[in-house]
Amino acid sequence: MLAAAGALALPAAAGPVDLYLTGAKYCPQGIAASAPRISEAQAIARTRTMLPADFCGPTVFVSGCTYDVENEYDSWRVYVHQYKDAGGRRDKGGLLHTYLILDAVGNCLAHIPGTEFGALN
């Protein structure tokens, strides 16, 4: 009985699996460190080029995306969240998000998608 309870506890203790999007399409690099620093607007524009096709819609379920940006430790952190127009408000419930970290000149340091709605991990 204790062995069965212990076996059931192992998957829960393991936690979610981290997933990063990499490669030239989703996390491009190669901008020289000597390039001009990008602005907040440029960080958002650069982030848009790294999102999967149709991530921000418009689709049946997604009207667009919001972009929350912060500049910390000489890098841009851009949190992108899908929304659906619902009676004049942006409803984000049950929709996807992704998080990008760019260096000061726009190189992607990390592209971390959120867990999909209903995912087991």
Side-chain angles (χ1 to χ4, degrees):
M1 183 71 163
L2 286 176
L8 291 175
L10 285 176
V17 176
D18 288 333
L19 176 71
Y20 297 90
L21 296 179
T22 59
K25 182 175 180 178
Y26 296 117
C27 197
Q29 300 167 358
I31 300 172
S34 60
R37 294 174 176 274
I38 62 173
S39 66
E40 179 176 324
Q42 290 169 315
I44 291 170
R46 182 116 170 101
T47 294
R48 285 183 175 138
T49 69
M50 298 178 213
L51 297 175
D54 297 326
F55 185 83
C56 291
T59 67
V60 172
F61 301 106
V62 179
S63 300
C65 287
T66 60
Y67 299 86
D68 294 320
V69 183
E70 62 183 16
N71 186 274
E72 293 291 330
Y73 303 110
D74 209 26
S75 65
W76 291 101
R77 290 137 190 227
V78 184
Y79 177 75
V80 184
H81 204 296
Q82 297 173 329
Y83 68 86
K84 177 71 176 166
D85 283 327
R89 64 181 178 79
R90 294 177 171 179
D91 184 6
K92 297 179 183 179
L95 297 175
L96 300 178
H97 65 275
T98 194
Y99 187 70
L100 281 100
I101 304 172
L102 309 176
D103 69 10
V105 298
N107 287 305
C108 179
L109 301 175
H111 186 163
I112 310 162
T115 303
E116 291 195 29
F117 186 67
L120 298 177
N121 295 8

